[in-house]
Amino acid sequence: MNNFTKLKKKSAAEWNALITRKEPVIYLGMASCGKAAGADKVREAVKATLKKYHLSAKLVEVGCIGTCYLEPIMDISAFGNPRVSFGNVDEKSAEAILRKYLLEKECHKGKVLGHFGTNSFDGVPRFFDQPMLQSQVRIVTKNCGLIDPENIHHYIANGGYEGLSKALQKTPDAIIDEITDAGLRGRGGAGFPTGIKWRTCRNTVSDEKYLICNADEGDPGAFMNRLLIESDPHAVLEGMLIAGYAIGASHGIIYIRAEYPLAIIRLRHALSQMDQYGLLGEKILGSDFSFDIRIKEGAGAFVCGEETSLIHSVEGKRGMPRTRPPFPAVSGLHQNPTIINNVETLSTVPHILRNGSQWYRQFGVEGNFGTKTFSLVGKIRRSGLIEVPLGTSLRKIIFDIGGGPQKEFKAVQTGGPSGGCIPEELLDTPVTYETLASVGSIMGSGGLIVMDRDTCVVDIARYFLDFIQKESCGKCTPCRVGTRHMVEILEKICRGDAEPEFLDKLESLAKLVKSTSLCGLGQTAPNPVLTTLRYFRSEYVEHLNEYYCPALVCSSLIEYSVIREKCTGCQLCVSVCPTGAIIGPRSEPHNLDKEKCIKCRACYDVCRYDAIAGNAIVITSRKEE
Amino acid sequence: MKERITCFTEYMCTYPKEEGSLIPLLQKAQGELGYISPEIVETVADYLQLTESQVFGVASFYSQFRFSEPGRHSISICLGTACHVVGGEILLETCERDLEVKSGECTSDMRFDLNRVACLGCCALAPVVKIDEDIHSKVNIIKLKEMWSNYE
Ligand SMILES: Cc1cc2nc3c(=O)[nH]c(=O)nc-3n(C[C@H](O)[C@H](O)[C@H](O)COP(=O)(O)O)c2cc1C
Ligand code: SF4
Ligand code: SF4
Ligand code: FES
Ligand code: FES
């Protein structure tokens, strides 16, 4: 029996023992989002509860299943019942849930989300039957939130490294054929066919080749790659091994942004386990293939997600892009052929090797096969990370899966700062690389920001341009200077001191920057402006001509006031107002001095969130004066 | 400070003398000393046989590096898109005003340094603020003020 077969046996035994264990097992979602929601406190509460009731249970820390709005999440399995999941757990409810389940064998009705079994269980629905999960197809997120990301046996027991083992029995060319047949396209943004890129690199003769995993995840407001690495780090690492073998590289690098400390820890841990089991270094799994993987931490520059900048950054230089060709697949890191792939692309590779290209092609649509993860955030009820087949409509993603916004839907931004703002009437657009481009946006890496009627699209355009302008590396003039002018114009529109001809000026500048910038950063930067001008021109005109911000966001165009009838005179606002703009005797209606008000929103928040306050502070347009 | 620089210098010698070591070395230095001081620039330049302006040129390109001493605690306000649409900027302004500190700088009593970050990856729980290593989610002005009172 060879070593991998032994390792599989051992892993399966460990995993089966865990899932069939009669004694309680408590699973806690401990990805960084879960922690931000308070998972550390829940863990302490769980330990305290077990002690208090003299119970013993095995604690397993898992990653994140993607239902972020339900964090912190805790699952329990015991008594041979299926694993049951509970959501929005806090210190108090953790005790109640455990006590009820472990002592009374009952599920806490208010907190239970669902179970992971195949049959029905005690009136509890199946976890994956929830509206957010029902229509997802989970390939790269298959293990996320279910296994312990720090335990390689969990990964192997669930099919891990099977793809590598199969790959090592094939020729590199056969692997590239398989990936090409599967129709896999790069998930980092551009959607370039992965197989074709690999073939170019394979065919370039060189002593040294590199494989780089792009985990820079620069889109501000997206976290697909973070979640995958934190929850299932071995998947991307297995993908790197397969890719390295296919292209003939012996060195791998993961370029990961420094803002993801937990993901970096998980990777380090996973690499040391791989080393221990002969999955890294010399003669991997007894084959002739040798490969090492290093981690390079990014240093905070959006442009370094672009492949030629990324290479410069790894070389220790300023992260400036260069013109292509030559493409990195021919001449990249230290002038050697280099393949750069996104985390999600590489995490998909093992599944294709394991199940075959035909299997992969059953998902998605012609030309856009497979699944894509999206981080669904902004003004949306069920925010989190989802995975759906390509070709799914935006409407299905936002409304069926995400539950839509609380208030009226206005737009969705795909593709981050390089993408565009898509209005309601285009929501039936199926999500593919081509259709998103045809409406003026891009697929990007998978960020979806939902906006409701309280979001100002002009402000969003200003926000993205400001972001890009700060991140522009400064190498080419259209991007460096053009974006600065665009930001100035947008700021003036938001402040209400713009001239009517500014819109045409903005539009022509946008087109200029788009067509003349050197790299993808500048070429796509105008997209948020062009799409908002195209679909929401009337909002720009309202800002311009009527000094009116319909979403009541642009601070120069709004004002705060107190509705006397609603004010309870609780004085909370007085204590938070930094400028002393609100005054009034206790228990009587208060006055807000508009001259002194700096529109910091503090009073608005307390007056809404505190029970003794009367929700009396309102924001209105200045034109209504 | 002297000791820590000596300590860093010893550590530096374990890195290969090549340009690729520059950013990792700067990261290490900032991790140990809190910021990139002129001495660090000089030490690293010497070691890698680069000019000081080359080293500074690279360091200043990346937003991670700071060139002045940090406070006892670091507040990072997320200004990513998800946080922007739910009021991240208001949180930044509140810190600037109430703690009397500009973003990128440090309060005069060295209690806090204040920073803007592009995204902390917890966008589903926006707005997000990080103080030292703790990420706080769904922050509003009232919660923010409570939060910082826990750090001296
Ligand atoms: C300004 C800019 C930023 C980018 N940021 C990222 C990023 O954060 N992550 C990523 O995977 N690709 C990013 N890309 C795309 C990469 O250049 C590259 O196409 C990609 O990593 C290739 O991998 P794939 O073929 O697997 O998609 C960016 C491109 C540009 C122009
Ligand atoms: S917080 Fe609201 S209800 Fe209370 S005094 Fe101020 S305006 Fe009135
Ligand atoms: S918005 Fe800010 S400055 Fe204006 S009244 Fe309210 S608390 Fe005071
Ligand atoms: S809760 Fe884990 S990624 Fe959102
Ligand atoms: S946008 Fe703030 S955490 Fe991502």
Side-chain angles (χ1 to χ4, degrees):
Chain A
M1 196 159 56
N2 75 27
N3 285 343
F4 184 61
T5 317
K6 267 193 221 151
L7 184 56
K8 270 203 309 199
K9 265 204 136 137
K10 185 174 164 204
S11 302
E14 184 181 327
W15 176 251
N16 285 328
L18 181 74
I19 60 172
T20 54
R21 202 179 132 104
K22 292 273 184 295
E23 297 76 43
V25 185
I26 298 168
Y27 300 85
L28 291 167
M30 298 291 277
S32 36
C33 241
K35 287 185 179 220
D40 284 311
K41 287 192 185 136
V42 171
R43 181 179 52 191
E44 293 320 304
V46 166
K47 285 186 183 160
T49 307
L50 292 175
K51 210 164 155 199
K52 184 167 159 189
Y53 296 98
H54 307 288
L55 294 164
S56 75
K58 190 177 170 69
L59 280 187
V60 179
E61 293 186 8
V62 296
C64 175
I65 204 157
T67 51
C68 302
Y69 76 112
L70 297 171
E71 291 282 339
I73 294 177
M74 170 170 83
D75 304 349
I76 309 176
S77 74
F79 322 120
N81 291 333
R83 179 168 163 182
V84 186
S85 189
F86 300 86
N88 294 129
V89 180
D90 56 17
E91 291 154 277
K92 262 217 202 102
S93 54
E95 173 169 346
I97 293 166
L98 285 173
R99 204 187 49 224
K100 252 191 169 359
Y101 197 84
L102 297 181
L103 297 176
E104 298 161 28
K105 300 197 178 177
E106 256 180 54
C107 289
H108 189 299
K109 288 285 174 277
K111 296 282 180 189
V112 68
L113 301 173
H115 71 84
F116 293 97
T118 33
N119 305 319
S120 61
F121 167 63
D122 195 21
V124 173
R126 288 184 66 237
F127 186 87
F128 288 107
D129 284 344
Q130 295 181 76
M132 187 176 187
L133 291 136
Q134 219 171 31
S135 41
Q136 292 193 39
V137 174
R138 296 171 73 92
I139 296 176
V140 291
T141 55
K142 175 172 104 37
N143 289 332
C144 296
L146 296 175
I147 66 165
D148 176 355
E150 300 212 338
N151 189 332
I152 192 170
H153 298 129
H154 285 193
Y155 180 66
I156 294 173
N158 285 284
Y161 292 108
E162 190 73 50
L164 173 72
S165 157
K166 281 196 174 165
L168 292 176
Q169 287 153 30
K170 296 184 177 214
T171 63
D173 282 311
I175 296 172
I176 296 178
D177 286 342
E178 189 84 54
I179 296 296
T180 311
D181 290 344
L184 178 63
R185 298 172 65 172
R187 298 295 189 237
F192 192 82
T194 306
I196 296 181
K197 195 152 108 176
W198 288 9
R199 176 89 61 206
T200 311
C201 186
R202 164 121 211 116
N203 291 345
T204 308
V205 184
S206 171
D207 293 341
E208 203 72 274
K209 288 180 187 174
Y210 293 96
L211 175 88
I212 301 180
C213 169
N214 189 344
D216 197 41
E217 190 137 89
D219 175 355
F223 55 95
M224 299 74 50
N225 295 172
R226 173 187 68 70
L227 184 136
L228 290 180
I229 295 175
E230 285 181 356
S231 308
D232 197 15
H234 285 286
V236 62
L237 295 169
E238 183 182 356
M240 287 180 74
L241 292 177
I242 297 170
Y245 175 67
I247 63 173
S250 43
H251 304 293
I253 294 169
I254 306 175
Y255 188 87
I256 181 162
R257 67 199 303 246
E259 288 85 346
Y260 287 173
L262 183 62
I264 296 172
I265 293 173
R266 293 268 152 90
L267 283 173
R268 290 230 159 85
H269 189 87
L271 286 173
S272 74
Q273 289 176 325
M274 289 167 74
D275 207 25
Q276 189 186 338
Y277 288 109
L279 289 159
L280 203 62
E282 301 291 315
K283 301 201 176 303
I284 289 171
L285 293 182
S287 70
D288 283 334
F289 171 56
S290 300
F291 196 73
D292 58 52
I293 298 180
R294 277 185 299 151
I295 298 174
K296 278 268 182 188
E297 286 180 40
F302 174 66
V303 72
C304 286
E306 195 278 337
E307 50 188 20
T308 59
S309 306
L310 189 154
I311 288 170
H312 287 149
S313 178
V314 173
E315 290 171 345
K317 302 192 177 88
R318 293 163 71 94
M320 304 258 205
R322 63 161 173 80
T323 44
R324 300 171 302 180
F327 285 91
V330 176
S331 172
L333 185 60
H334 307 305
Q335 276 73 54
N336 292 310
T338 304
I339 284 297
I340 297 176
N341 274 131
N342 173 262
V343 173
E344 189 178 338
T345 316
L346 290 167
S347 300
T348 308
V349 165
H351 294 279
I352 297 175
L353 265 292
R354 193 154 76 225
N355 302 309
S357 54
Q358 285 312 312
W359 165 84
Y360 192 68
R361 287 170 73 95
Q362 69 180 293
F363 309 107
V365 292
E366 185 65 40
N368 283 263
F369 292 113
T371 56
K372 174 83 197 79
T373 59
F374 291 98
S375 69
L376 196 51
V377 298
K379 308 287 183 69
I380 183 124
R381 285 199 179 86
R382 296 192 282 267
S383 57
L385 186 107
I386 61 156
E387 182 175 1
V388 291
L390 285 167
T392 306
S393 76
L394 284 168
R395 190 179 302 281
K396 187 162 182 185
I397 292 175
I398 294 165
F399 286 90
D400 296 355
I401 295 177
Q406 306 269 4
K407 297 186 180 168
E408 196 186 324
F409 175 88
K410 184 185 268 183
V412 58
Q413 174 88 14
T414 71
S418 311
C421 223
I422 301 172
E424 154 82 30
E425 58 269 26
L426 293 173
L427 281 189
D428 292 313
T429 307
V431 174
T432 68
Y433 290 95
E434 288 71 25
T435 47
L436 288 178
S438 74
V439 299
S441 186
I442 62 162
M443 172 81 78
S445 55
L448 288 182
I449 312 264
V450 179
M451 305 171 205
D452 66 4
R453 63 155 197 249
D454 289 347
T455 318
C456 172
V457 291
V458 185
D459 173 71
I460 287 290
R462 181 200 58 79
Y463 164 81
F464 280 125
L465 256 291
D466 182 58
F467 174 83
I468 288 294
Q469 192 262 317
K470 291 197 173 87
E471 293 294 339
S472 166
C473 80
K475 184 167 174 175
C476 71
T477 322
C479 175
R480 188 184 66 237
V481 182
T483 57
R484 197 166 62 232
H485 282 309
M486 289 173 72
V487 173
E488 279 164 14
I489 294 179
L490 286 160
E491 279 175 349
K492 282 189 178 157
I493 299 177
C494 291
R495 272 206 310 271
D497 56 12
E499 320 277 313
E501 71 270 12
F502 276 26
L503 283 195
D504 294 331
K505 221 163 131 186
L506 185 62
E507 199 154 15
S508 60
L509 257 175
K511 287 182 181 152
L512 185 79
V513 172
K514 195 177 168 85
S515 56
T516 55
S517 288
L518 171 81
C519 88
L521 183 137
Q523 288 157 8
T524 56
N527 286 344
V529 170
L530 289 169
T531 49
T532 46
L533 276 172
R534 179 158 152 200
Y535 302 120
F536 297 96
R537 202 176 186 94
S538 64
E539 286 202 20
Y540 279 87
V541 174
E542 281 173 307
H543 279 72
L544 269 172
N545 294 349
E546 300 164 39
Y547 308 113
Y548 177 51
C549 173
L552 300 175
V553 167
C554 295
S555 73
S556 305
L557 309 181
I558 57 171
E559 62 187 16
Y560 286 68
S561 51
V562 177
I563 301 182
R564 294 182 62 84
E565 294 72 39
K566 281 188 159 187
C567 178
T568 61
C570 68
Q571 295 202 310
L572 284 173
C573 55
V574 178
S575 63
V576 296
C577 179
T579 62
I582 316 183
I583 44 167
R586 179 167 285 283
S587 307
E588 278 177 41
H590 282 43
N591 273 319
L592 193 154
D593 183 345
K594 288 172 189 166
E595 296 296 312
K596 280 193 184 167
C597 174
I598 53 167
K599 298 171 189 169
C600 73
R601 204 184 165 95
C603 58
Y604 182 82
D605 284 348
V606 276
C607 191
R608 267 158 48 107
Y609 293 121
D610 210 292
I612 57 169
N615 193 7
I617 295 180
V618 289
I619 305 175
T620 49
S621 168
R622 279 182 63 182
K623 77 161 191 182
E624 286 162 20
E625 211 167 280
Chain B
M1 188 52 78
K2 273 267 163 320
E3 287 151 45
R4 279 193 280 169
I5 292 187
T6 322
C7 188
F8 166 74
T9 315
E10 276 165 25
Y11 185 86
M12 181 172 71
C13 300
T14 62
Y15 277 71
K17 282 195 183 201
E18 58 193 29
E19 218 177 337
S21 302
L22 175 54
I23 294 171
L25 278 174
L26 292 172
Q27 284 168 329
K28 182 73 190 169
Q30 180 154 312
E32 296 290 314
L33 292 97
Y35 71 111
I36 306 295
S37 64
E39 291 100 304
I40 290 292
V41 173
E42 195 188 321
T43 316
V44 173
D46 259 6
Y47 181 71
L48 297 179
Q49 294 178 336
L50 299 167
T51 66
E52 282 175 42
S53 68
Q54 274 173 311
V55 172
F56 185 76
V58 169
S60 61
F61 182 85
Y62 296 97
S63 65
Q64 184 187 24
F65 298 115
R66 51 180 306 136
F67 302 97
S68 58
E69 219 172 311
R72 293 193 292 285
H73 303 286
S74 291
I75 302 183
S76 301
I77 310 280
C78 179
L79 295 178
T81 321
C83 292
H84 172 79
V85 298
V86 289
E89 247 125 283
I90 290 177
L91 299 177
L92 182 74
E93 285 164 14
T94 305
C95 287
E96 293 193 323
R97 195 178 47 242
D98 288 23
L99 299 173
E100 294 175 22
V101 56
K102 282 211 193 77
S103 122
E105 293 175 10
C106 192
T107 52
S108 55
D109 60 0
M110 303 300 276
R111 183 170 162 215
F112 291 116
D113 57 83
L114 179 67
N115 315 284
R116 42 190 320 160
V117 290
C119 176
L120 292 164
C122 298
C123 327
L125 303 171
V128 174
V129 172
K130 186 172 173 188
I131 304 188
D132 295 340
E133 295 311 309
D134 299 323
I135 299 184
H136 303 265
S137 57
K138 300 198 174 157
V139 180
N140 58 31
I141 300 181
I142 303 147
K143 221 169 141 183
L144 178 68
K145 291 186 181 177
E146 271 170 29
M147 270 157 49
W148 76 46
S149 65
N150 293 326
Y151 296 82
E152 253 326 297

